[in-house]
Amino acid sequence: MAISAATLLDIWEAGAAQPPLARALALLAPLFPETAVAELPVGARHGLLLLVREWLFGAQMECVAVCPACAARLEFALATTALRALAPATVVQQLDVGGQQLAFRLPASADLLGLPPGPAAIRCLIERCLIDAPAMLSDETLAAVATAMADADPLLDLRIELACPDCGHTWAAPFDVAGFVWQELDRWARRLLRDVHTLARAYGWRESEILALSPQRRALYLQMVNDERFAG
């Protein structure tokens, strides 16, 4: 899918001042207008974010982690296609806890909005997602449901298994899909606006005229501006 630079800048500007969850929804809503993205399971929403990342920057994501044991910097790559394959296909799940049959749906972004702060948030989220459950459930039962949710939707709380090449320590590093994609978009937008500033000063063009240029033509004009600076 081709997304114009102007459209993408508008999306970036609209989401920049919003909290992370609202920002992720603000990124997806204009690109998938026929999908109620806030009602999708979190993993499905992350799958769409990864798809958008493919459209914009390609399938390979270059990542960095810091070893919690020795603080060594570890570089690794993730493929959006492999991660998107983890998105859940079934929303409603069944669970047997000590002979008690429970049904729950996977959490959606709409469930996360407005949760109370602190430890009560997790319990509130699980209870909200249970279907026709008894009024009182033990902490052990709620913990079992939470585990089943994570198993059914690996992108709900994505962890990447890593091994430090320096000290050999292994750990499961959390990977924030929405945060990663937004960070890349933010870097792209700021870099593009610097290019717009440079070309506007050099040629007197309006922003809309510069954004209407293809990336290749913008790059060539920027190169000519830089060549003239060095020549002078």
Side-chain angles (χ1 to χ4, degrees):
M1 177 178 178
I3 308 170
S4 72
T7 296
L8 203 53
L9 274 180
D10 287 342
I11 293 173
W12 168 78
E13 185 177 15
Q18 299 189 47
L21 177 54
R23 182 183 296 162
L25 298 177
L27 172 57
L28 292 174
L31 302 179
F32 301 93
E34 298 181 1
T35 301
V37 291
E39 304 299 329
L40 294 175
V42 171
R45 182 247 290 170
H46 283 167
L48 289 182
L49 287 170
L50 291 165
L51 179 60
V52 171
R53 199 278 178 189
E54 283 181 39
W55 292 342
L56 300 178
F57 308 119
Q60 180 160 305
M61 300 187 294
E62 302 297 335
C63 310
V64 175
V66 176
C67 175
C70 71
R73 177 186 171 93
L74 174 64
E75 297 181 358
F76 61 99
L78 296 174
T80 57
T81 48
L83 295 182
R84 286 198 295 111
L86 301 176
T90 304
V91 176
V92 177
Q93 305 284 328
Q94 303 289 329
L95 177 65
D96 184 302
V97 182
Q100 183 181 30
Q101 299 297 318
L102 296 174
F104 64 89
R105 58 179 177 78
L106 297 177
S109 300
D111 297 312
L112 302 178
L113 294 170
L115 285 177
I122 295 178
R123 185 182 187 95
C124 180
L125 176 62
I126 295 171
E127 291 177 343
R128 184 177 296 180
C129 294
L130 285 168
I131 300 172
D132 297 329
M136 297 296 293
L137 292 174
S138 67
D139 291 341
E140 291 77 10
T141 298
L142 292 175
V145 175
T147 299
M149 285 180 174
D151 290 342
D153 187 355
L155 293 180
L156 179 62
D157 182 21
L158 182 60
R159 305 275 168 163
I160 307 299
E161 297 294 333
L162 297 175
C164 178
D166 288 0
C167 71
H169 178 72
T170 59
W171 77 103
F175 185 79
D176 180 2
V177 172
F180 186 93
V181 173
W182 183 265
Q183 187 178 58
E184 288 192 311
L185 176 60
D186 185 69
R187 285 197 296 263
W188 171 87
R190 294 178 186 277
R191 185 168 58 249
L192 178 58
L193 289 177
R194 286 194 295 269
D195 293 346
V196 169
H197 173 72
T198 299
L199 294 177
R201 291 189 65 182
Y203 296 105
W205 295 335
R206 296 189 299 271
E207 180 186 74
S208 59
E209 294 172 318
I210 297 170
L211 294 179
L213 296 171
S214 67
Q216 293 81 3
R217 292 177 69 178
R218 278 199 304 270
L220 287 172
Y221 280 117
L222 286 166
Q223 184 62 54
M224 287 186 282
V225 171
N226 291 330
D227 289 346
E228 287 184 354
R229 286 176 178 173
F230 287 121

